[in-house]
Structures are given as C-alpha cells and as structure tokens.
Amino acid sequence: MVNGDYTGAVGKYRQAIDLEPGSVPLRFALGAAYSFLDKRPEAIAQFRWVLGQASSTSREYREARAWLARVGALVELAGPDDGSQAETASFDNGIPKGRIFGKTEWPGVEPRSHFISGNLSLIGDEPVTHDEKRTRPFRLGDLYEFRDLPPGRYRLVAVVDETTLWDEKVTVEPGKQTDFVLSHASSPVPVEKFAPPPAKPEPEPQQ
C-alpha cells in the first residue's frame, strides 16, 4: 500500500482477512485499497463493515464514516432502545450483487447411480449479510448455485440425514461469481459415511 501497489495490497489484505476475518484494521485497509483503485462498490462494502464492528471512537470508524458520507453511501438507522445511533449496511444504491457457483463432490458418489440428498444453506456471517439465509435441496455430486447475493461473508452449510458434511466460510464479491467446490477433503465426515454400497458379486455359473 505504501508503495502505491494497490492491486497487490488488495490481494495481501484479502489473504490476511481469511486468517483474521474479524480484524477492523485489515478491513479498513482493504477498503482504502479499493478506494484508491476507484472500486467504489467494494470499498463501500468494506467501510460499512467497519462501521458495524469498530468502536465509534476509533480512527478506522471516523475515517470510514467520513469517506462514506463523502460519496453519498452513508446509511444511518435508529439503533438500540437507548437512543444511540448505529450504521447498518445496505446494498441498495446500485451496488451490484454477486453469486456463488460450485459443485459437491464425494468419493465414489454419482447422483445418477447413488442418490444422496440433503439441504444446502447459505447463512450471512457478518453484520452486512446477517439478514440473508437461503436453503435449498441438493444432491451429493451435483452442481449448486446461489444468485443475487449482497456482497460479504457467508457460511455454506450442507446437511444430509442430520449429518453436517460441510460448514465452510465463503466471501461474495460485488458483481462477481465465486466458484466454490465442496469436496470430501474439506469435510469432517469419514468417506465411509456416504460411500456407495459394495457391488454385488456376479453369480457363479451353474455346472
């Protein structure tokens, strides 16, 4: 960032946020890098996250709020019953939405020959997405998709027969498609839990 490599800074900050998703300084820095690249929707998403998480006395809060006000993207709503004010993120004002596209994979399981179904849920995992929750049926081994998603962090949870196969974190970028494969490598469930039944032995020819 100091050297003016804002594109490189975005990549580094995003890697750091994957390790520390609740870090206000990192989120603020990512928003700043986006703002220098003139990526306004991305910067708005990050600075609104800062307003929802940072202390109102912090430098990050003050500067994020000032930037949002300057570009006309500051949203203020009534806060708790004590009369205080709190900012909450809204994805109106033309901010493009994103989508998640992927596939579920399990060793030896093909949906045409070994039918295993369950529910796949996408759950908002930060203040800017907390109102989002979508659930749909899925078949193990098939493709899946969630469209028209406000940018931000989510949990992707797949459950089959009351067993949670996956509970993964995924980030949706404004106006972009996020490709996300759910494979056995990232599942805590043993492969034998949903392995296909053994093939029946061929009958021996009669003498």
Side-chain angles (χ1 to χ4, degrees):
M1 179 79 91
V2 172
N3 294 330
D5 180 11
Y6 304 123
T7 299
V10 165
K12 293 295 185 181
Y13 286 137
R14 286 187 54 79
Q15 291 176 13
I17 287 171
D18 285 339
L19 299 175
E20 294 187 63
S23 171
V24 170
L26 287 175
R27 289 282 193 159
F28 176 82
L30 178 58
Y34 278 136
S35 71
F36 284 123
L37 291 170
D38 200 27
K39 292 188 174 183
R40 181 173 293 190
E42 291 88 340
I44 289 172
Q46 298 304 320
F47 286 146
R48 284 178 168 172
W49 185 95
V50 169
L51 292 189
Q53 296 293 316
S55 166
S56 59
T57 60
S58 67
R59 177 184 66 86
E60 290 88 355
Y61 181 96
R62 294 195 304 271
E63 293 189 10
R65 190 179 190 281
W67 187 91
L68 289 169
R70 188 165 62 250
V71 301
L74 180 64
V75 177
E76 293 186 322
L77 298 176
D81 292 338
D82 60 6
S84 63
Q85 295 291 312
E87 281 86 0
T88 63
S90 169
F91 292 93
D92 298 325
N93 302 324
I95 297 178
K97 296 185 178 182
R99 71 171 184 161
I100 298 175
F101 182 82
K103 184 180 181 181
T104 61
E105 298 177 347
W106 202 263
V109 173
E110 291 293 336
R112 297 176 188 84
S113 58
H114 188 43
F115 187 87
I116 298 175
S117 63
N119 287 319
L120 185 63
S121 298
L122 189 69
I123 306 165
D125 197 39
E126 62 178 343
V128 296
T129 60
H130 75 278
D131 288 334
E132 291 290 326
K133 182 175 181 181
R134 307 185 188 185
T135 300
R136 62 189 54 184
F138 81 101
R139 293 188 304 178
L140 203 55
D142 267 354
L143 301 173
Y144 72 89
E145 183 180 26
F146 290 94
R147 295 185 177 184
D148 298 323
L149 299 171
R153 285 187 174 271
Y154 294 85
R155 287 171 53 218
L156 193 57
V157 182
V159 178
V160 174
D161 294 336
E162 299 184 353
T163 298
T164 300
L165 274 69
W166 292 283
D167 188 343
E168 300 285 333
K169 291 184 181 295
V170 58
T171 299
V172 174
E173 297 289 343
K176 296 181 181 179
Q177 174 177 302
T178 300
D179 296 318
F180 202 85
V181 175
L182 294 169
S183 70
H184 176 257
S186 61
S187 175
V189 178
V191 66
E192 297 81 11
K193 177 74 174 180
F194 296 104
K200 294 182 179 180
E202 293 289 335
E204 296 183 2
Q206 295 182 353
Q207 298 295 330

